[in-house]
Amino acid sequence: MKIQSIQPLYFLSNDPRVKRFRFTHVDRTLGDIQLANPQVYLFELQNDNIKGNEPLTEFIENARLTFLKAGWVMN
């Protein structure tokens, strides 16, 4: 599995305890079929112990995954 381009999506949440991201997954196989185009995934992390604008590394340390969804295939 190869993940590229993890990007924060700051515009989707005003709550400092919730952060949303997207990433691109490449080199995907579906059974015996190799898919050529990368797939975009969306995910959300939540950390109820965060009070303000702590660094992202501190946020991720005790965060839990609350959402993961395949988005779209890039052309």
Side-chain angles (χ1 to χ4, degrees):
M1 178 177 200
K2 184 175 181 183
I3 295 176
Q4 295 178 334
S5 304
I6 296 177
Q7 301 171 329
L9 303 172
Y10 296 117
F11 62 92
L12 290 178
S13 177
N14 292 330
D15 186 347
R17 298 171 298 150
V18 176
K19 296 202 184 297
R20 296 182 175 121
F21 303 87
R22 79 180 216 174
F23 68 86
T24 305
H25 175 231
V26 295
D27 298 331
R28 231 180 85 177
T29 58
L30 181 61
D32 294 334
I33 302 168
Q34 180 73 29
L35 301 176
N37 295 348
Q39 173 84 37
V40 174
Y41 285 85
L42 305 168
F43 70 98
E44 176 184 272
L45 299 176
Q46 184 171 341
N47 187 335
D48 294 329
N49 299 321
I50 294 297
K51 303 295 184 219
N53 291 327
E54 286 84 350
L56 186 57
T57 53
E58 187 175 328
F59 177 88
I60 291 172
E61 189 173 311
N62 293 310
R64 65 187 187 336
L65 181 66
T66 54
F67 180 83
L68 175 64
K69 181 173 176 78
W72 56 91
V73 175
M74 297 176 68
N75 294 328

